[in-house]
Amino acid sequence: MAGRSPRKSEAARRANQVVRGRTVIVMLLLGVVTFIMLFWKLYDLQIRRHDELQNEAAGQQTRESTVAASRGTIYDRNYHPLATSATAENVCISPLELAAFVRKQEEANEAARKKAEESGKTYVPARVLDEAYVARGLSRILGVEEEEILRLAAMTATQYQRVTRRVEQDVADEVRRFMNGEIDDEGRELTFVNEDGRTRLLSDPKKAPTALQGIFLELDSRRYYPYGALAANVVGFVNGENQGAYGLESKFNDVLEGTTGYTVAAKNARNTDLPFHYEKIIDPENGYDMVLTLDTRVQASLEKNMESMLETYDAKNGGTGIVMEVNTGAIIAMASYPNFDPADYSTIRDEKLLASVNAELEALEEKKDTFEEEKDYSEAVKAVEDRAQGLQWRNRCVSDTYEPGSTFKPITLAAALEEGAVNMNSSFSCSGSVMVQGWDKPFYCSKKAGHGTQSLKVATGNSCNPAFIAIGLKMGTQKYYKYLRSFGLMDPTGFDMAVGEGKGIFSDEKTFNSNVVSLASYAFGQTFNVTPLELIRAQAACINGGYLYTPYVVDQILDGDGNIIQQHGASTPVRQVVSEETSALVRECLEYVVASGTGKNGQVTGYRIGGKTGTADKTGTKTPSNPKGDVVVSFMCFAPADDPQYIMLITMDTPSRNTGVFVSGGNMVAPTASRIMGEILPDLGIEPDYSSSELLVSDVPVPNVVGQTAAEAKAKLESAGFACRTVGGGETVTAQTPAGGAIVPNDASIILYLGQEKPDTPCTVPNVSGRTAAEANRMLTNAGLIMKMAGTTVTSSGNVHAMSQNVAEGTELPAGSVVTVWFGDSSVLD
């Protein structure tokens, strides 16, 4: 039909249907794929990377900084702080913020330039406070190299870089002034405070200063040691990360350090902090405090006198000292030399150690060309420095062993008395040496001519080696070895501060029992090693009734409110090694050592002292250039001798043989121990009990007789025990020397001025070293001074001479001043 469109063929319709169907399928497939991709992306962002993106967002929106916990305080037994912490601040930069701050200034300058250009005005760009400006300012204040600060500032992808740690408050305040624009990079003042109390620029009083961005301070804690190097080898130190690195600081780090806190502050889009109410603070938990058994007064006396002794006798390898409670094991003082300052722990303080280090470094420098690479040389230098630092840090009382010599004899004595091998009626013959089966050389006594026949007490007082060899042989190897174990000498002591505690070095039991040679040498303290702490622990057991205690130094752990978290409690002995009766006999013998034997230079006026000297050869140190070899000299003492409360052991390693003093514990160490005991016993509550002879020279106040007649004054002074002499011809006392109330020895001579003016010319102290008591007294009296005797005052040897004085020769003192002179017996051989 005309006008009708032709119908599509069936083939065309089918083709269209196929196309539509395929299109629908393709669209469905694309939709499914797109959905899967979107689903995967959502899963990836919201689930798989949730934590990562959340942290990234938090990092963009907040600034998080740590707030260090305050490290717990370490106190002595009287609550004097040995280590304490105070708030300090770390100086940090945000390179990202600093870079944005610089860009902002540059953009402002560019906008101002264009505006000036459009208006035809001359434009002078404002100074850009850039990274170099910040580096110069912080370097000047902090002492950090500019290059290092610029290196940190270049890390613009980061928001936290620490420039330096734990600065003092005045330094932190200076950084704040720089941050606030109050001073420039050279430290020049930029601002003033106007009448309204607002800070304005000196150059333009209408403008506020420009605060720097990208610098911030964070709270931290800084460790302080109020007593400096005192007890440093016990207390230890913290490292640059405020973590305990040595001593108690390290052993009890978990107790002392506390838990770090955090500060989280919100930031805006310009990376500046929002107001404080957007800030969240998680408070730190401060560490616990510790109360030690140490006494700073005793520790100071021990260290002061030991340092003097080591210097006087030029000790090559330093020394050790321990003061301990006899009946608990509490350590009252502990010193080890060389030592260090915990606030500056990397610096070598000991002159001998420093000289040794410098010599080694010079030797390395000379052969520097022999190292293949520079790093090998640097490692060798570091090894020398590390070794020296380790030597000054180590607590030799705990970690190092030595041959004790005759200070070990009380242990041999106690064991033999307990076993009944000897008694107080036993006698011994000494010809100066003795041969022992199995050894082809004689064992010598310190007295080459021999002591002849002597009782047990006298043999102990003489420190007679042949006598103690005989005592050991009477016991036999098996019994003797049993007591070595029982006295705790073959195991660590269990000392609560020890990390890597040293352990005695002895023959194994089978070898020891195979012959009697080791027994002979062990009996007088040679050919084996102990730590000073092991030895004083065993010595205390010999004199306290036989009880072996575990030494300790930490008495209490306290929380921030002073509540006791941990208490050491009453000390329980590990075991009883010998009986009370045996212990009493040992005390009797050791008191005789100090009263009449080799320990007489350890006498202390007003106190009954027991003790034992020691002079031990260091095995393997004899050489053609050193035929006598090196020795360790030592002295153990305790007081009161009849009821011991405190025991002390001092050692000195390799004293010089060129000091003019015979090398022995009795000559070199006992006088130092006497001084220490005389100073610390009153502080520890042990009151002196003077004998009638000691009362004659005890310290008393001088009566004030000014205004009295010469006759009245003389009578009053003489009734008080003083001698007196007069100057002038008047009838009334117008002045006196020493003045009324001065504390002087009871036998001092008082000068009375009768109508004559008292001269104010100072007196010059003479050197009385080597003089007898009478000679020294006469020299000081002639100089217008008063002598106080200390040290050995009771002896029958006739060899007592002045060994030292507390005021150096040539010192000028007011007339009537007291000079203490320590006397010693030069006849002591051990």
Side-chain angles (χ1 to χ4, degrees), residues 96-117:
L96 180 65
E97 291 182 29
L98 182 55
F101 174 62
V102 173
R103 280 197 308 273
K104 182 179 177 181
Q105 296 175 80
E106 292 171 341
E107 290 168 358
N109 277 354
E110 179 63 18
R113 185 192 64 77
K114 288 180 179 180
K115 186 176 180 179
E117 190 177 81

Side-chain angles (χ1 to χ4, degrees), residues 145-336:
E145 293 292 334
E146 287 183 40
E147 291 76 11
E148 174 61 16
I149 299 173
L150 288 171
R151 185 186 69 81
L152 297 175
M155 301 179 185
T156 54
T158 66
Q159 296 188 65
Y160 178 90
Q161 292 294 331
R162 184 185 297 123
V163 178
T164 191
R165 303 193 71 159
R166 294 187 280 278
V167 299
E168 298 285 357
Q169 191 60 53
D170 59 338
V171 176
D173 290 342
E174 186 79 350
V175 172
R176 283 191 178 85
R177 297 189 69 216
F178 180 56
M179 290 166 54
N180 294 335
E182 297 174 23
I183 56 174
D184 67 7
D185 56 335
E186 299 297 329
R188 293 183 290 261
E189 292 288 341
L190 299 177
T191 63
F192 72 101
V193 178
N194 65 16
E195 295 177 354
D196 298 329
R198 297 182 178 182
T199 302
R200 291 292 180 260
L201 288 172
L202 288 168
S203 59
D204 188 347
K206 294 182 179 180
K207 288 186 178 180
T210 300
L212 301 177
Q213 295 178 23
I215 307 174
F216 60 96
L217 297 164
E218 64 178 7
L219 289 177
D220 204 337
S221 180
R222 185 180 181 121
R223 201 64 162 163
Y224 292 91
Y225 299 90
Y227 287 88
L230 192 75
N233 301 94
V234 177
V235 175
F237 60 87
V238 296
N239 60 22
E241 300 300 318
N242 218 24
Q243 295 290 301
Y246 202 83
L248 292 171
E249 293 274 32
S250 173
K251 178 65 182 290
F252 291 88
N253 187 64
D254 293 344
V255 173
L256 293 164
E257 70 173 342
T259 304
T260 301
Y262 296 91
T263 298
V264 182
K267 300 186 301 183
N268 59 23
R270 294 186 298 277
N271 280 322
T272 59
D273 291 347
L274 293 173
F276 68 90
H277 54 269
Y278 291 100
E279 185 177 67
K280 182 177 181 181
I281 299 176
I282 301 172
D283 292 329
E285 294 181 12
N286 294 334
Y288 289 145
D289 298 332
M290 291 172 54
V291 181
L292 308 183
T293 58
L294 296 184
D295 187 310
T296 53
R297 298 167 303 176
V298 177
Q299 184 75 30
S301 177
L302 178 66
E303 293 192 13
K304 173 190 68 177
N305 286 288
M306 280 190 63
E307 286 173 4
S308 176
M309 175 188 73
L310 296 171
E311 181 179 352
T312 299
Y313 298 116
D314 195 25
K316 181 179 178 180
N317 299 315
T320 65
I322 305 173
V323 180
M324 188 175 78
E325 282 186 355
V326 170
N327 298 307
T328 65
I331 301 298
I332 309 303
M334 180 177 277
S336 178

Side-chain angles (χ1 to χ4, degrees), residues 313-551:
Y313 298 116
D314 195 25
K316 181 179 178 180
N317 299 315
T320 65
I322 305 173
V323 180
M324 188 175 78
E325 282 186 355
V326 170
N327 298 307
T328 65
I331 301 298
I332 309 303
M334 180 177 277
S336 178
Y337 288 89
N339 71 346
F340 63 98
D341 182 352
D344 186 22
Y345 55 84
S346 61
T347 299
I348 306 297
R349 296 176 72 242
D350 183 80
E351 292 182 2
K352 287 186 176 62
L353 183 57
L354 182 60
S356 174
V357 170
N358 289 336
E360 289 187 66
L361 293 179
E362 287 175 7
L364 284 175
E365 178 70 24
E366 290 176 0
K367 60 178 183 179
K368 186 176 181 180
D369 295 341
T370 64
F371 291 90
E372 292 185 5
E373 297 183 23
E374 179 67 27
K375 71 173 186 177
D376 296 330
Y377 171 73
S378 298
E379 288 174 358
V381 170
K382 187 175 185 303
V384 170
E385 294 171 344
D386 288 349
R387 185 164 57 252
Q389 289 172 350
L391 285 173
Q392 73 171 1
W393 295 341
R394 66 198 284 149
N395 186 342
R396 298 176 62 191
C397 298
V398 179
S399 62
D400 288 14
T401 63
Y402 75 109
E403 291 180 77
S406 295
T407 53
F408 196 78
K409 288 174 180 174
I411 295 164
T412 299
L413 177 64
L417 285 168
E418 184 70 13
E419 286 296 319
V422 296
N423 57 50
M424 297 300 283
N425 294 319
S426 299
S427 63
F428 306 89
S429 179
C430 171
S431 62
S433 65
V434 64
M435 295 296 295
V436 174
Q437 182 181 359
W439 192 249
D440 59 358
K441 298 178 182 178
F443 286 87
Y444 290 102
C445 188
S446 58
K447 186 175 182 180
K448 297 297 187 287
H451 293 108
T453 301
Q454 52 197 332
S455 67
L456 179 65
K457 183 190 292 187
V458 173
T460 305
N462 290 332
S463 194
C464 179
N465 288 347
F468 273 83
I469 290 173
I471 292 171
L473 294 177
K474 286 184 178 183
M475 285 189 67
T477 57
Q478 293 184 348
K479 288 182 179 179
Y480 194 89
Y481 205 85
K482 179 189 74 171
Y483 279 93
L484 295 179
R485 291 190 184 281
S486 190
F487 274 110
L489 296 165
M490 295 186 173
D491 300 300
T493 64
F495 187 37
D496 54 4
M497 74 152 284
V499 177
E501 180 182 356
K503 181 181 174 183
I505 302 172
F506 297 87
S507 297
D508 65 86
E509 189 169 5
K510 182 178 180 181
T511 303
F512 187 80
N513 290 335
S514 65
N515 61 67
V516 295
V517 176
S518 291
L519 173 58
S521 58
Y522 276 38
F524 62 94
Q526 294 275 187
T527 69
F528 65 92
N529 283 48
V530 293
T531 67
L533 186 63
E534 285 178 323
L535 182 57
I536 196 172
R537 179 195 191 202
Q539 290 166 335
C542 292
I543 62 171
N544 68 4
Y547 300 98
L548 187 72
Y549 287 95
T550 299

